[in-house]
Structure formats: structure tokens, C-alpha cells
Amino acid sequence: MASEKLQSFQNEIDISIENSCRQLYRNNRNILKIKNEELAVKNYKILAFATLKLCTGKGFQAMSIRDLSRESGLSLGALYYYFSGKDEIIKIIHEHGQHFIQEFFPKKISDVENPREKLYKAIEAYIILSELSSDIFLFFLMETKNLPAELKRIPTQVEIWVENLFKEILNDGKKAGIFSFDNIDLICAAIKALLHDWCIKREIYKQKKINMEKYISFVISMIGSYIEPCK
């Protein structure tokens, strides 16, 4: 994968995160004690990444506000200028993740008309995004099951949305005679499992000398060999 492509993705991710934090501040500026927008945006980013790091290491349930204070470098008092508690932090991260995936991911395939190319570009884009934003993707995949019911809504919605996007591409390909399959739910389940496997086991694959580019090629070849009619 060309380094220029990865850098382009990373630049867009960085802009997306900053925009989300800025919008969060502007939506709540009337009730926040912090009046300096640039400082607030900077600290929201610090707190979001500190939360993700702690959750990756010890899990959301075990994470305390005191842990977050130590990891972020902000005092306990300062934390409450931005959040009322742990649940609000998680809600904000989920809302950012939802906005990020649903806005950013389609941009990477919007210029592709052919369903075959669109499907394989979607697979590539998802894996690259999960590589460059591994903390966010792992949080969605691993922490959702441990959250209170009211906080599971957003990650569940995102998973359904991603699945429906792949279903739409597959159905378009089937109508065009490009793809052939009997059960679209099983195809989507297989795609989702392969995408999630890279998110969860990326370090294991890399230890086995399987890099991201090889994994993307493998997934595309495996799915393609099943859904594309024999020539």
C-alpha cells in the first residue's frame, strides 16, 4: 500500500477527530466552564485518546476517573469541566465513531460505479481505517458487550449500517450479473468476520509476516472467489 495513500487517510482521520471535538464544544459551550475553544478542543482530543488507551489496557468497567486524570495529565477538577462522568465520555466517543465511520467510509467509495470495484475498495478502505484508528475500532468491537444497555445503541447502529452498505453493493452486483450468491446474510457475515479479524488480531498477523496489504489481498481474493461466477 503506497505510503501516500496511508498518509492521505491519516490526514483525513485527524481532521475528522478535530472537527468532532470542535462540534462537541460548540454544541455545549453555553454550559461549559471552558470558554477558550482551542483549549477545549485540544483537551477533548487528549481525553478521548486517553480513554481509548485505558479501555484497551484495562477495560471500560475497570477504568476510573482518577485513571483518566493520570493518563491525560488533567486534574480531577479539570475533567469535570468537560464531562459529568464515565458514561458521558463513552457516549461522546461513540458519537464520534458513528460520525467518523458513516461520513468518512462512504467517501472512499463514492466515486466508484462498478459494484465489483466498489466492494473491493470498501473492503480495502475499512481495513485501512481500522489499521489507522485501531483504538476506536477495537473499542467498538470489544467494549460494547460490557456497556450498559443504553450505551450499546450507537455501536449496534453502526454495525448494522456497515452491514447494510455491503448488502447494497452486493445486491447491485447481483442485479448487474457480476456477483452470484444464494444468501446475502451469510456473505455479509463472512465479510464482517474477516474485517473484524484484522482489527482484533492485527499484531498476531504481523508477527506471522502477514502485513495489511497481504491481508487485504487475501480477503478480496477469498470473497471474490465465492461470489464471482466462474468464467
Side-chain angles (χ1 to χ4, degrees), residues 30-160:
N30 292 333
I31 60 174
L32 291 173
K33 296 179 181 179
I34 301 296
K35 301 307 177 186
N36 184 318
E37 180 172 326
E38 295 308 316
L39 177 62
V41 170
K42 173 186 173 183
N43 285 339
Y44 271 129
K45 289 168 65 177
I46 289 171
L47 289 167
F49 285 116
T51 301
L52 290 168
K53 182 177 179 179
L54 287 167
C55 287
T56 299
K58 64 194 307 183
F60 171 69
Q61 297 298 339
M63 183 191 80
S64 70
I65 295 296
R66 193 171 295 278
D67 291 330
L68 186 56
S69 174
R70 283 195 296 266
E71 184 64 38
S72 67
L74 297 173
S75 69
L76 285 170
L79 290 185
Y80 289 107
Y81 284 5
Y82 298 92
F83 304 108
S84 61
K86 283 174 58 177
D87 285 358
E88 187 175 348
I89 298 172
I90 297 305
K91 183 174 181 290
I92 289 167
I93 291 173
H94 276 168
E95 287 176 347
H96 165 67
Q98 180 181 38
H99 170 79
F100 171 64
I101 293 172
Q102 292 184 341
E103 179 175 324
F104 187 79
F105 187 40
K107 286 181 181 177
K108 292 302 176 183
I109 58 175
S110 62
D111 61 340
V112 183
E113 295 295 330
N114 182 281
R116 177 191 289 109
E117 293 177 18
K118 180 172 282 193
L119 176 64
Y120 299 153
K121 192 167 184 179
I123 289 171
E124 177 192 67
Y126 190 99
I127 293 174
I128 293 175
L129 286 177
S130 71
E131 172 75 10
L132 296 177
S133 302
S134 57
D135 287 347
I136 293 175
F137 278 75
L138 273 174
F139 185 86
F140 267 57
L141 292 175
M142 304 301 291
E143 283 295 328
T144 298
K145 63 182 182 297
N146 299 320
L147 296 176
E150 64 272 16
L151 294 178
K152 292 181 179 180
R153 177 181 59 83
I154 291 177
T156 300
Q157 287 178 342
V158 171
E159 186 168 344
I160 293 171

Side-chain angles (χ1 to χ4, degrees), residues 14-32:
D14 292 341
I15 291 170
S16 174
I17 291 170
E18 176 142 345
N19 287 344
S20 291
C21 292
R22 192 172 300 280
Q23 191 60 51
L24 173 65
Y25 171 79
R26 291 176 178 177
N27 289 344
N28 295 280
R29 72 169 80 207
N30 292 333
I31 60 174
L32 291 173

Side-chain angles (χ1 to χ4, degrees), residues 186-199:
L186 289 176
I187 297 297
C188 284
I191 292 173
K192 185 164 61 174
L194 289 165
L195 297 179
H196 288 181
D197 210 49
W198 179 260
C199 297

